Amino acid sequence: MTKGADIIAAIILLALAIAIIVYLLHWLYRRSSKEVSFVRTGMLGEKVVISGGAFVLPIIHNITQVGMRTLSITIKRGGDKSLITKDRMRAELVTEFFTKVPPDPRAVSTAAQTLGNRTLDPEHLREVVQGRFADALGEVAAKMTLDEIQENRGAFVKQVGTIANESIGHTGLALETVSIISLDQTPIEQFNPANTFDSQGLTQLTEQIESRKKKRNDITQDTKISIENKNLE
């Protein structure tokens, strides 16, 4: 009878021990997901977990989560903030940038150090990178005329992507693609005659507009005279 009781007690203790181990594993073992990786720091140094898991001991370890989702950032440049091109025109541009932390241990580690949990918040992340993307647009636009941007959108996007990717590289982020949603000349009313760049662009626009008006008028008058001569004949 005593032997049977001992066996039952041993089974109960074993089951209890297994339950405690399972609970501890569930509590201490952290897994990453496709959308969120993490970096564990503390005892045994840094460990980057992208696809898998790791034990995280309270007090001894600290973790920083890193978002792995692709972020879409729309940059709009219009009005007094429109881009000034090489020929001193103003261009209204709407572009979309797609960026993310690539599934690379070094990139994830860098993003954890420089951005921290902001990679989980799209709005905070936009605040970090949108200024750099806007600067890249302005830098490339200053090297191309408005017509060149329109006719060589691929080259424009490629140059912008190269500069933008370099500007965010130290954060752990990487640029995936850049696309132009819309491109147009800024209305002439937005040009400021007191601004050096705008005054040059305004002069060119005025000359072009008046030249086209004269050309249209010449065509109209020539056509009218041709009709009258034909009727006279």
Side-chain angles (χ1 to χ4, degrees), residues 3 17 39 50 55 65 81 87 125 136 140 147 197 207 229:
K3 186 177 180 180
V39 177
I50 298 175
F55 284 102
Q65 293 183 314
K81 293 184 179 180
D87 54 350
L125 198 56
V140 179
D147 288 340
F197 297 132
E207 290 176 348
N229 288 338

Side-chain angles (χ1 to χ4, degrees), residues 162-181:
T162 299
I163 296 173
N165 201 36
E166 291 177 354
S167 70
I168 63 173
H170 70 283
T171 65
L173 291 168
L175 190 67
E176 291 188 324
T177 57
V178 183
S179 61
I180 296 178
I181 298 176

Side-chain angles (χ1 to χ4, degrees), residues 105-219:
R106 180 177 295 182
V108 173
S109 176
T110 301
Q113 294 175 11
T114 59
L115 300 173
N117 292 326
R118 281 182 292 185
T119 57
L120 302 172
D121 189 336
E123 291 305 318
H124 283 178
L125 198 56
R126 284 188 179 91
E127 293 175 2
V128 174
V129 300
Q130 63 183 1
R132 300 174 189 184
F133 291 164
D135 288 344
L137 289 170
E139 183 176 341
V140 179
K143 300 175 182 177
M144 300 176 69
T145 66
L146 184 59
D147 288 340
E148 287 174 344
I149 296 175
Q150 171 63 29
E151 295 169 3
N152 302 285
R153 292 192 177 200
F156 177 79
V157 164
K158 185 177 181 180
Q159 292 183 47
V160 170
T162 299
I163 296 173
N165 201 36
E166 291 177 354
S167 70
I168 63 173
H170 70 283
T171 65
L173 291 168
L175 190 67
E176 291 188 324
T177 57
V178 183
S179 61
I180 296 178
I181 298 176
S182 66
L183 170 65
D184 201 357
Q185 177 201 297
T186 303
I188 195 170
E189 295 80 12
Q190 295 291 335
F191 284 70
N192 180 9
N195 181 283
T196 301
F197 297 132
D198 282 355
S199 63
Q200 294 179 46
L202 192 58
T203 299
Q204 292 185 56
L205 275 176
T206 303
E207 290 176 348
Q208 291 175 14
I209 291 171
E210 294 304 320
S211 175
R212 287 166 184 164
K213 283 183 179 179
K214 182 178 180 303
K215 187 174 182 179
R216 286 197 302 270
N217 183 67
D218 289 344
I219 293 173

Side-chain angles (χ1 to χ4, degrees), residues 41-53:
T41 54
M43 189 178 70
L44 301 178
E46 180 183 270
K47 181 177 177 61
V48 178
V49 182
I50 298 175
S51 179

